[in-house]
Amino acid sequence: MKKLLRHALIGAFWIGVWWLAALAVGLPKLFPGPAETAQALLRLSQTAVFWRSVGMTLLRVALGYLCAVAAGILLAAGCYRIRGLDTLLSPLRTVIKATPVSSFILLVWLWLRRGTVPLFISFLMVLPIIWTSVQEALKAVDGDLKEMTAMYRFSWLQRLRYLYAPSVRPSLMAACMTGLGFAWKSGIAAEVIALTPDSVGKHLSDAKNYLEYPDLFAWTVTVIVLSMALEGLLKALAHRREGRK
Amino acid sequence: MIRLSHVYAGYPEKDVLRDVSIPFPERGAVALMAPSGFGKTTLLKVLAGLLPIQKGEISGLENKKIAFLFQEDRLLPWLTAEKNVEIVSGKDKAAHWLKEMEIEDAARLPHDMSGGMRRRVALARALSYEGEVLLLDEPFKGLDEALRERIAARVKNAAPLTVLSVHDPVEAALMDASIIRLDQLQGS
């Protein structure tokens, strides 16, 4: 209860700062305050387009994210087991990490359908995070325990279940948490640039183009709330799993 | 019969075993004694097949099932005592050996146990594996005198051949083991 109150007070403080800043600027059409934004959000949330856009954005980002988690784990395991594969693929990982997300969006925009661009971009941004973390965690698996499992002739499934998975889990969870933010932000950036139909990003872009700044703020608030909700959900799932063990 | 003939083994930075020859008996217990650094653990690892030899020959170990109690407990930290043992031997054997090792609360995780308790769980794991050769590296580390005596009485006949490393000759006596002084055995 105390924690909830503390969070509410911190939230109220920053909303107050926003309100004061908007008051100081004095241009509600260009810098709307919390009240104008809330009004816009209420209006938008009463339309079917709003919920369809939110749903489709969530679906695209979630698909890209989940594919990246799965592919990242598989690539990490492959590179850990086969040194040649690591040598072959590590330049690819470096290139993905170093290339700006906007370059990728503009590149794939030419090749993919507009609805697929955000999914692919979310995938691409999360992949190296998961891949690197899991591979490093695999390298750090306790050598003494590996020797013990060899001595007692653990099957590969037993090694996976009782040695590798628990050893890697903390790094994987941390990477999943970091990756979620990346997936969300890069996915929406891709929607903005690719003007993906039925998407939060397209509405953000439209609001900017038509100088509908209260709507722009309302969509941004929606993005922030959804991002926090997804992060909370992932944390809750992780805690539930820890609790069950 | 297991026999080591003129065996050399060690690590890239250090030769530990030099020209070691030991004939082990078919049955019974053999205690390896020597000051630290004379290769007791290395010899056990060679017998376990975990460390390749550089020179010499080992015979009699082919197709033998070997159980090894490592110098460290090497329990999986996320599994309970019970599960750590079960995983190598199944429920029934695990329950039997945990009881023999006087583990009362087998539902605890290793980090919730005392050092002596962890040692006994590791011992239970090695014993429940039912190896034809039982290798024990400092098996009684962290056990008080009374417990050491009770545990030794249950361990000594658990496998046809037991090879253990000890610092204290009393521990060899508790296991009815013949003593091999490794420091006096090595060639220069």
Side-chain angles (χ1 to χ4, degrees):
Chain A
M1 197 65 192
K2 262 186 183 173
K3 199 175 160 189
L4 198 71
L5 187 69
R6 198 172 63 229
H7 281 137
L9 284 173
I10 292 168
F13 170 77
W14 285 110
I15 289 172
V17 171
W18 175 17
W19 177 69
L20 284 174
L23 213 63
V25 172
L27 296 168
K29 291 277 179 199
L30 287 179
F31 190 176
E36 292 85 2
T37 304
Q39 274 171 9
L41 189 57
L42 190 68
R43 176 173 40 81
L44 289 171
S45 66
Q46 285 165 350
T47 63
V49 173
F50 175 86
W51 294 107
R52 194 168 60 236
S53 302
V54 167
M56 288 305 288
T57 293
L58 270 174
L59 185 69
R60 288 186 198 103
V61 172
L63 271 177
Y65 174 77
L66 291 174
C67 289
V69 172
I73 293 170
L74 288 176
L75 281 167
C79 289
Y80 170 71
R81 289 288 296 172
I82 309 161
R83 192 168 292 182
L85 191 66
D86 187 34
T87 312
L88 183 73
L89 294 181
S90 64
L92 177 70
R93 190 174 49 199
T94 309
V95 167
I96 299 173
K97 272 185 185 173
T99 308
V101 62
S102 47
S103 301
F104 273 126
I105 297 170
L106 293 170
L107 274 172
V108 298
W109 186 42
L110 295 170
W111 306 325
L112 299 177
R113 287 189 314 169
R114 283 191 293 173
T116 321
V117 174
L119 190 155
F120 184 74
I121 292 299
S122 295
F123 169 82
L124 215 55
M125 292 301 107
V126 177
L127 181 70
I129 298 170
I130 304 289
W131 182 356
T132 308
S133 296
V134 173
Q135 199 173 333
E136 289 305 314
L138 283 170
K139 282 183 198 164
V141 171
D142 190 326
D144 281 354
L145 291 181
K146 280 199 270 186
E147 198 175 54
M148 183 277 292
T149 60
M151 187 70 233
Y152 286 107
R153 297 180 190 169
F154 278 40
S155 66
W156 73 267
L157 199 63
Q158 280 180 314
R159 282 179 211 210
L160 182 68
R161 185 170 169 197
Y162 297 118
L163 176 63
Y164 287 101
S167 300
V168 165
R169 191 172 294 133
S171 300
L172 176 63
M173 283 315 297
C176 282
M177 216 62 94
T178 311
L180 189 64
F182 272 85
W184 193 235
K185 279 189 273 192
S186 61
I188 289 175
E191 287 178 345
V192 170
I193 296 175
L195 297 176
T196 307
D198 289 332
S199 75
V200 172
K202 169 82 164 45
H203 289 294
L204 275 169
S205 178
D206 287 348
K208 183 212 71 171
N209 290 338
Y210 301 126
L211 295 177
E212 293 283 357
Y213 277 66
D215 283 17
L216 182 69
F217 272 53
W219 282 110
T220 306
V221 167
T222 306
V223 170
I224 293 167
V225 169
L226 283 173
S227 174
M228 285 163 68
L230 285 176
E231 201 180 310
L233 184 72
L234 195 62
K235 273 184 188 164
L237 283 174
H239 284 148
R240 202 174 141 190
R241 195 183 158 81
E242 286 298 310
R244 209 187 295 154
K245 277 200 300 171
Chain B
M1 181 196 248
I2 299 164
R3 181 185 289 275
L4 267 66
S5 307
H6 306 289
V7 164
Y8 288 75
Y11 305 93
E13 67 277 13
K14 195 185 173 200
D15 280 339
V16 183
L17 299 179
R18 289 185 302 275
D19 196 18
V20 170
S21 297
I22 306 173
F24 288 97
E26 287 286 347
R27 303 188 74 81
V30 174
L32 305 170
M33 283 192 69
S36 296
F38 275 86
K40 299 187 293 293
T41 298
T42 305
L43 180 55
L44 291 174
K45 282 192 168 185
V46 164
L47 288 170
L50 295 172
L51 189 68
I53 57 171
Q54 290 146 7
K55 258 201 294 188
E57 200 186 333
I58 305 172
S59 58
L61 270 174
E62 303 81 14
N63 303 320
K64 282 237 180 337
K65 189 178 177 187
I66 298 171
F68 193 176
L69 172 76
F70 295 92
Q71 197 173 48
E72 317 79 21
D73 302 317
R74 302 197 189 183
L75 299 174
L76 292 163
W78 34 79
L79 297 184
T80 60
E82 191 177 25
K83 191 75 192 170
N84 260 290
V85 182
E86 245 180 63
I87 210 168
V88 304
S89 57
K91 259 188 183 323
D92 294 344
K93 287 178 193 169
H96 168 73
W97 281 107
L98 282 165
K99 196 176 164 201
E100 287 288 290
M101 293 298 108
E102 302 184 21
I103 303 293
E104 281 162 14
D105 185 3
R108 283 157 79 173
L109 290 170
H111 62 77
D112 291 331
M113 299 178 208
S114 66
M117 196 173 165
R118 281 198 293 270
R119 197 66 185 150
R120 283 179 286 137
V121 174
L123 256 170
R125 180 177 62 191
L127 293 163
S128 71
Y129 191 59
E130 296 187 341
E132 295 159 88
V133 181
L134 180 60
L135 306 173
L136 306 173
D137 201 348
E138 299 184 22
F140 308 116
K141 198 170 62 176
L143 306 188
D144 64 48
E145 212 170 301
L147 194 56
R148 189 173 67 168
E149 282 179 23
R150 293 201 301 276
I151 297 294
R154 291 163 197 159
V155 173
K156 66 182 173 188
N157 295 316
L161 175 64
T162 303
V163 182
L164 66 154
S165 81
V166 290
H167 283 291
D168 184 352
V170 172
E171 292 178 355
L174 287 172
M175 291 284 291
D176 296 334
S178 53
I179 293 176
I180 293 178
R181 295 288 313 210
L182 209 51
D183 49 332
Q184 293 166 10
L185 206 67
Q186 305 218 37
S188 53

